[in-house]
Amino acid sequence: GAVVSQHPSWVICKSGTSVKIECRSLDFQATTMFWYRQFPKQSLMLMATSNEGSKATYEQGVEKDKFLINHASLTLSTLTVTSAHPEDSSFYICSAGPGLSYEQYFGPGTRLTVT
Amino acid sequence: TQLLEQSPQFLSIQEGENLTVYCNSSSVFSSLQWYRQEPGEGPVLLVTVVTGGEVKKLKRLTFQFGDARKDSSLHITAAQPGDTGLYLCADTGGFKTIFGAGTRLFVKA
């Protein structure tokens, strides 16, 4: 149980285009999901907290107009990188928990490369 | 802002050796978690510890939580190449999770 999936697993896009990444909880409902970014050989940095039915909460320094988050249902959150630039190239990971537990389960990540 | 420091940053050892990695927090942990992440994949939860002084074992892995709940160690006995990966400690402060920078372990066959 407690499986989180992401789609796509990798994507290459041209500078200036937008890319949507999906995060799904497959066997549980999640009112809250988290989006992280990980640069090569670095740790995970929390970007934003995705809240079902309401606006996402962004961490300091993360542009909300550039990283659009939509949590349309209890099993799906999407992250859209708008007007992508090469510096947005990174590994994007989402996580979710099955309830009030502090434990989170991570998706397999999405490798974004912007050319 | 809570800071988690992990040491060493990088460790390369031979198969069969033992090793210990450490995680220290600038403040008391709410709950401490250890994860292992392999290249190109998301982190996988290894253990959660909550009580000061707690010791948990997972096969060849032993996790210790300091009495003051500000530090933790992960000991691996007889390391195997399959243990290679990035080991991350994290604190879920009731809601958000803060990660340490990780220890990158490489076990040579």
Side-chain angles (χ1 to χ4, degrees):
Chain A
V3 178
V4 176
S5 70
Q6 284 185 240
H7 178 80
S9 55
W10 60 271
V11 57
I12 301 173
C13 71
K14 292 187 177 181
S15 186
T17 62
S18 295
V19 174
K20 180 184 286 188
I21 302 170
E22 293 184 349
C23 176
R24 294 182 185 272
S25 56
L26 299 185
D27 50 2
F28 64 95
Q29 294 183 332
T31 56
T32 303
M33 293 182 174
F34 301 91
W35 286 97
Y36 296 83
R37 182 167 52 184
Q38 185 177 32
F39 291 107
K41 298 186 178 180
Q42 294 188 24
S43 189
L44 283 75
M45 296 299 296
L46 180 65
M47 298 176 65
T49 302
S50 175
N51 305 299
E52 189 269 335
S54 65
K55 292 181 179 180
T57 305
Y58 291 82
E59 294 300 300
Q60 191 173 9
V62 178
E63 300 175 58
K64 61 180 66 176
D65 293 331
K66 180 169 184 62
F67 299 99
L68 300 179
I69 291 173
N70 184 277
H71 197 146
S73 74
L74 289 171
T75 59
L76 173 64
S77 175
T78 60
L79 168 67
T80 301
V81 183
T82 62
S83 187
H85 291 286
E87 56 265 32
D88 298 324
S89 298
S90 187
F91 194 51
Y92 292 87
I93 307 173
C94 71
S95 73
L100 297 179
S101 166
Y102 40 68
E103 294 186 353
Q104 295 183 57
Y105 297 88
F106 287 82
T110 296
R111 170 81 52 198
L112 170 63
T113 301
V114 184
T115 61
Chain B
T1 304
Q2 182 183 23
L3 295 176
L4 301 185
E5 288 190 9
Q6 292 191 242
S7 60
Q9 291 183 333
F10 181 79
L11 190 57
S12 179
I13 61 171
Q14 289 291 142
E15 181 177 7
E17 292 183 0
N18 301 332
L19 67 114
T20 303
V21 298
Y22 301 91
C23 174
N24 290 282
S25 174
S26 58
S27 58
V28 173
F29 280 97
S30 298
S31 69
L32 166 65
Q33 291 150 353
W34 282 95
Y35 294 84
R36 182 174 70 211
Q37 183 182 24
E38 298 186 20
E41 299 182 12
V44 175
L45 179 66
L46 297 175
V47 75
T48 299
V49 287
V50 179
T51 305
E54 188 173 3
V55 177
K56 283 192 174 180
K57 292 190 175 184
L58 182 65
K59 296 184 181 179
R60 294 177 293 101
L61 279 60
T62 301
F63 305 86
Q64 286 192 304
F65 199 18
D67 291 340
R69 299 178 63 235
K70 293 185 68 176
D71 59 275
S72 179
S73 64
L74 160 58
H75 182 79
I76 301 179
T77 304
Q80 300 176 0
D83 296 327
T84 293
L86 178 66
Y87 288 81
L88 297 160
C89 67
D91 185 13
T92 299
F95 192 66
K96 295 194 296 186
T97 298
I98 298 173
F99 284 90
T103 292
R104 195 166 297 276
L105 172 65
F106 182 66
V107 183
K108 294 175 283 187

